[in-house]
Amino acid sequence: MTAILTNLFDGVAYGMLLFVLACGLAVTLGLMNFVNLAHGAFAMAGGYVCMVLVNRMGWPFFAALPLAFVSSAAIGIALERTLYRHLYTRSHLDQVLFTIGLTFMSVAAVDYIQGSSRVFINLPAVLQGQFDVFGVGIGRYRLMIIVICGLLTIGLQMVLTKTRFGSRLRAAVDDPRAASGLGINVPQVFAFTFAFGCGLAGLGGALSAEILGLDPYFPLKFMIYFLIVVTVGGSSSITGPFLASLLLGMGDVAGKYYVPKMGPFVIYTMMIVILIWRPNGLFGRTAAR
């Protein structure tokens, strides 16, 4: 029983990490109707910024995390203002081809600058190791991930559903012309939303570097996981991807522990079963926008 509870805890931590990594894609795809397959590149950028600050410049880990968010958000808003904004009205195929091209360019650039070796972030002593609670092993770093990701999830949900900005964003997506006529600065709303999603990806990349590792092929290796989270959860809300991340995280950890030879078979099986049951995702809309 204690082994099951330990795996459950690790699965929840992994699921929360998946959500922070993928929720930016859920925002851009579900709320902005933009397919950004370069999302993993922003996560990789945040991870490498955190690694350089901590491992090479001696910054405290908790001081480097906000810089990972800010740097990825800055890259995102620069690309949104110069490149992405011209693709909002284009077809999804054009968006996919453009963003996958950016992904391969980022992989080549990071491989040239940083090399292809896999790196990890040096954690402070307070986050290393684990402690036991009634025989259940609780990893300190994973507990921190659950706390941080939980607070981010609550804050993001409140911003999107309880604030004026969330209302403006939904109005800008549903009918940009009417929203502009009501005085909403649609390009500014899109730019801020896109930058915030990229910043969340960068923060997720920094948090995941110690667990998943960091190398130039990070965007390609985990792109499918981001897409699975958004597809299974449904792209019309944040609640769906959050629950999908928890389910897939627990299923992936349990599968690797109990049937290690099956590899990622478990998570793909869960995706197929859920999509057969709910073709539009757990919280997807029943009709296309």
Side-chain angles (χ1 to χ4, degrees), residues 18-279:
L18 277 180
F19 175 72
V20 174
L21 281 166
C23 66
L25 181 60
V27 170
T28 55
L29 178 59
L31 299 180
M32 296 176 61
N33 197 27
F34 184 86
V35 184
N36 180 26
L37 294 188
H39 185 74
F42 296 102
M44 178 178 64
Y48 271 105
V49 167
C50 187
M51 184 275 295
V52 170
L53 291 176
V54 174
N55 293 9
R56 300 180 184 177
M57 300 179 65
W59 279 48
F61 177 72
F62 290 106
L65 288 179
L67 267 295
F69 177 92
V70 172
S71 60
S72 296
I75 296 172
I77 198 168
L79 292 177
E80 196 276 341
R81 292 289 83 187
T82 56
L83 299 175
Y84 279 89
R85 63 183 302 183
H86 303 293
L87 294 170
Y88 286 147
T89 58
R90 303 289 290 271
S91 68
H92 284 169
L93 178 60
D94 291 340
Q95 296 170 0
V96 166
L97 293 176
F98 176 79
T99 55
I100 197 67
L102 280 182
T103 300
F104 283 106
M105 291 174 63
S106 68
V107 168
V110 172
D111 184 55
Y112 178 78
I113 297 172
Q114 295 288 341
S116 58
S117 300
R118 196 178 188 189
V119 297
F120 297 88
I121 295 177
N122 298 329
L123 296 178
V126 69
L127 295 178
Q128 297 178 10
Q130 65 179 24
F131 58 92
D132 292 339
V133 177
F134 300 109
V136 179
I138 304 295
R140 291 186 174 91
Y141 187 70
R142 285 171 169 78
L143 179 60
M144 182 209 68
I145 287 177
I146 291 177
V147 172
I148 292 179
C149 296
L151 293 175
L152 283 174
T153 302
I154 295 172
L156 183 62
Q157 183 70 10
M158 291 182 64
V159 168
L160 293 176
T161 59
K162 304 295 185 180
T163 65
R164 181 174 296 180
F165 177 81
S167 300
R168 289 179 176 178
L169 175 59
R170 292 192 297 272
V173 171
D174 290 338
D175 196 332
R177 180 176 296 181
S180 298
L182 293 173
I184 298 175
N185 190 332
V186 175
Q188 187 180 71
V189 170
F190 278 4
F192 180 83
T193 304
F194 189 85
F196 187 75
C198 293
L200 287 177
L203 179 61
L207 291 173
S208 67
E210 177 58 26
I211 295 178
L212 305 178
L214 195 61
D215 60 64
Y217 298 95
F218 182 93
L220 297 177
K221 288 192 296 184
F222 295 101
M223 179 192 302
I224 185 64
Y225 284 85
F226 305 154
L227 294 174
I228 288 175
V229 167
V230 177
T231 303
V232 171
S235 60
S236 61
S237 69
I238 296 299
T239 304
F242 175 72
L243 294 179
S245 298
L246 292 180
L247 287 174
L248 296 174
M250 290 185 289
D252 195 36
V253 170
K256 290 177 180 177
Y257 181 80
Y258 292 108
V259 282
K261 293 184 179 180
M262 302 295 287
F265 180 80
V266 174
I267 194 172
Y268 294 131
T269 302
M270 292 176 63
M271 177 190 69
I272 293 172
V273 171
I274 292 175
L275 291 180
I276 290 176
W277 171 50
R278 299 278 296 179

